[in-house]
Amino acid sequence: MERTLINNIVPETEIKISGWVERIRDSKNMIFLVVKDISGHIQVTIEKASNEEIVNALHGVIANSVVSVYGVAHLSDYVKMGGIELIPTKVEVLSVAEALPIMDNANIDNRLDYRWIDLRSNKNILIFKIQSCFTNAMREFLVKNNFIEIHTPKLIGAASESGSDVFEVKYFDRKAYLAQSPQFYKQMAMAAGFERIFESGPVFRAEQSYTNRHATEFSGFDIEFSYINSFEDVMSMEEDLLIYALTKVKEEYGDIIKEVFETEVIVPTKPFPRMKLADVYKEIVKYGYKETEEDKLDLSTEAEKLVYNLAKDKFNHEFMFITDYPKDKRAFYHMRKDGIPQGYDLIWRGVEITTGAQREHRFEILKQQAEEKGLGKDVEFYLQFFKYGCPPHGGFGLGIDRITMLLLNIPSIKEVEFIFRGPNRILP
Ligand code: AMO
């Protein structure tokens, strides 16, 4: 017999459901089971006297066991759960659970030891349904706009990005590295004439960071496209992409996000505000920020948080593009104009979610910028991409885990990665 999902049950028909035992209550004359699957839950009501076989089958079964129940569902005024109960003719026990080693309210590090159990909760499954809706909407937007999805290698022969913070792996008789970003290969696609590409895949960073927003492996969503006029075109594309995806999430999950995560999905308006780094520092002193010399080079975590206050107070917006970082702190491949990198960071609700830029596509200048950062040998293969013709181009990379965390007002990235990877965690 085919399995019916619980939310598709039609009363007064013969059905089979399969799922987890959410609760089991054994009283003198009756057994009440609550069975849960991905779609919902239902009460199964068993009268002991007339169901000896079922009672025997359920012997030793506790919550979290997995069962199939055959029978007919009836509408009932007495049952709270959707006003419906299943009267079984047969129960099959598919898997008997032991008592759980963790409680719902255990701290996150204990829960991560048993992540597969932790993930069973409705709230946790919902996080991934919403994330799936968000990334699916981004894909939909990009495909509609003629972007090609590519899959670039994660085992690479030379460090990408900066060279520091890279995981080294043994590759037969030589060294290889785990990709810190698909950066070089998404640009290779531009040199190959693909014009518009995107990639969703793992990103590896050997960073000893123990913050609520850093992981050593995370999910990146990367975009690159050709024939841009400036990095304004890159920001504009990102605005359209985020507006599209957040609109979809709001339509499909806005109400439930409000109910379960107690936060509002706000679809931003275009254009998002833009500010130069130096101006941000000038303005956030009004929130009590004390600037240091180091700050002028980059956005500190504290300053990043205050950017949210500034974005709300000054622009009534949730997002802010920060531009005009000093070249010392930006990647060598950012195009520069009058010495200023033509790129940005996008801050949402006080956290950086994206870096983007127009890239330097002119071989000689790019080579010089790489040498200036001491990257000569490592990037030799990459520099070749720009020798045989390459259109002007730009792009950006989004951190999916951070977006999910901010979207649902969840305090730590550990809660939104399917399996978190950090300096102290490589299992399960
Ligand atoms: P960047 O290094 O800023 O840029 O990374 C892009 C985005 O990835 C997310 N992110 C992280 N998420 C979780 N844990 C981490 N340790 C972590 N590090 C980064 C952030 C960040 O904004 N090649 C460029 C992108 C480009 O220019 O296209 C890059 O990798 O959300």
Side-chain angles (χ1 to χ4, degrees):
M1 190 174 191
E2 287 270 333
R3 171 182 178 223
T4 300
L5 279 179
I6 290 169
N7 71 350
N8 291 341
I9 290 175
V10 178
E12 310 307 330
T13 51
E14 288 277 346
I15 50 159
K16 169 191 172 184
I17 62 160
S18 301
W20 304 95
V21 173
E22 195 172 69
R23 290 197 294 277
I24 179 162
R25 187 157 67 82
D26 192 351
S27 66
K28 192 158 160 258
N29 301 319
M30 308 288 288
I31 296 176
F32 298 98
L33 273 186
V34 176
V35 177
K36 163 190 150 171
D37 68 13
I38 194 79
S39 71
H41 55 190
I42 187 169
Q43 178 176 302
V44 179
T45 308
I46 302 145
E47 197 185 13
K48 283 178 158 179
S50 52
N51 286 293
E52 202 182 327
E53 240 176 73
I54 294 178
V55 172
N56 287 338
L58 286 173
H59 188 73
V61 167
I62 63 169
N64 288 290
S65 299
V66 181
V67 296
S68 286
V69 182
Y70 298 76
V72 177
H74 302 284
L75 298 173
S76 161
D77 292 340
Y78 302 105
V79 180
K80 284 201 195 102
M81 217 168 289
I84 193 168
E85 66 180 339
L86 180 57
I87 307 297
T89 51
K90 187 169 101 175
V91 172
E92 277 169 5
V93 179
L94 307 176
S95 165
V96 180
E98 290 187 22
L100 294 191
I102 47 161
M103 308 286 262
D104 285 350
N105 57 1
N107 82 41
I108 180 67
D109 291 303
N110 290 337
R111 283 188 282 119
L112 289 187
D113 289 338
Y114 296 94
R115 183 61 164 161
W116 68 98
I117 297 171
D118 181 45
L119 285 173
R120 282 178 197 169
S121 74
N122 291 336
K123 189 170 175 178
N124 276 339
I125 292 177
L126 186 58
I127 294 174
F128 292 88
K129 285 187 185 171
I130 295 165
Q131 186 181 72
S132 170
C133 173
F134 183 85
T135 49
N136 194 36
M138 291 211 291
R139 248 199 196 91
E140 195 175 280
F141 172 88
L142 292 163
V143 170
K144 268 190 200 165
N145 285 284
N146 303 316
F147 281 79
I148 303 170
E149 180 165 10
I150 62 169
H151 304 280
T152 66
K154 302 306 156 206
L155 266 178
I156 56 174
S160 40
E161 291 302 306
S162 64
S164 60
D165 304 336
V166 64
F167 286 111
E168 203 177 284
V169 292
K170 193 171 161 321
Y171 194 72
F172 306 111
D173 58 353
R174 53 171 292 193
K175 277 183 203 162
Y177 307 92
L178 295 179
Q180 289 172 299
S181 153
Q183 187 62 37
F184 292 173
Y185 298 100
K186 55 181 190 162
Q187 289 191 258
M188 191 187 99
M190 300 301 99
F194 281 37
E195 292 204 10
R196 298 180 151 209
I197 62 95
F198 71 98
E199 169 165 25
S200 165
V203 176
F204 302 93
R205 303 274 167 105
E207 278 177 281
Q208 296 267 3
S209 296
Y210 299 87
T211 73
N212 69 336
R213 64 191 68 180
H214 283 91
T216 50
E217 177 175 355
F218 63 92
S219 300
F221 211 100
D222 274 88
I223 281 98
E224 200 72 24
F225 57 109
S226 287
Y227 301 107
I228 61 169
N229 294 312
S230 80
F231 73 108
E232 263 301 327
D233 295 341
V234 181
M235 291 192 284
S236 171
M237 183 68 81
E238 179 158 16
E239 288 169 339
D240 291 339
L241 175 70
L242 288 172
I243 289 170
Y244 187 92
L246 288 171
T247 304
K248 283 272 160 155
V249 169
K250 192 176 176 76
E251 275 166 19
E252 263 182 62
Y253 289 101
D255 291 343
I256 192 147
I257 290 174
K258 207 180 287 173
E259 185 189 318
V260 176
F261 299 98
E262 295 174 5
T263 187
E264 185 91 28
V265 180
I266 298 171
V267 178
T269 51
K270 191 177 169 169
F272 299 2
R274 290 134 165 78
M275 278 185 85
K276 294 180 181 167
L277 182 68
D279 294 336
V280 168
Y281 276 113
K282 270 183 215 143
E283 297 234 14
I284 57 176
V285 289
K286 71 175 173 233
Y287 303 113
Y289 190 78
K290 299 239 183 323
E291 194 180 1
T292 66
E293 276 307 302
E294 179 60 14
D295 281 351
K296 297 200 177 101
L297 299 175
D298 209 347
L299 205 56
S300 66
T301 307
E302 187 52 33
E304 215 170 82
K305 282 184 193 148
L306 296 175
V307 165
Y308 188 30
N309 298 44
L310 190 58
K312 280 190 300 191
D313 294 348
K314 197 174 163 86
F315 303 102
N316 189 25
H317 212 279
E318 293 258 302
F319 291 84
M320 180 123 87
F321 285 118
I322 317 278
T323 67
D324 293 58
Y325 285 80
K327 66 180 188 327
D328 296 355
K329 285 285 172 182
R330 301 308 261 188
F332 74 95
Y333 53 78
H334 285 200
M335 183 179 269
R336 296 174 194 163
K337 197 166 152 191
D338 305 324
I340 298 165
Q342 299 299 289
Y344 65 87
D345 274 2
L346 178 59
I347 314 296
W348 185 27
R349 299 181 168 170
V351 177
E352 178 208 314
I353 57 162
T354 295
T355 299
Q358 172 158 14
R359 323 301 186 182
E360 182 49 74
H361 64 283
R362 296 162 295 184
F363 175 75
E364 287 299 339
I365 303 174
L366 185 60
K367 187 162 171 262
Q368 194 192 327
Q369 289 185 182
E371 277 164 8
E372 203 182 277
K373 299 237 177 199
L375 290 169
K377 196 106 198 87
D378 275 346
V379 298
E380 231 165 61
F381 80 98
Y382 161 77
L383 292 175
Q384 300 295 313
F385 302 162
F386 305 91
K387 238 178 157 174
Y388 307 98
C390 183
H393 62 276
F396 56 94
L398 289 153
I400 293 303
D401 316 87
R402 286 191 185 175
I403 290 181
T404 306
M405 169 185 153
L406 297 165
L407 175 67
L408 302 179
N409 192 26
I410 291 171
S412 167
I413 197 165
K414 292 180 181 179
E415 300 268 5
V416 301
E417 288 210 318
F418 181 70
I419 299 240
F420 171 73
R421 288 284 180 256
N424 292 333
R425 184 171 285 279
I426 193 79
L427 282 173

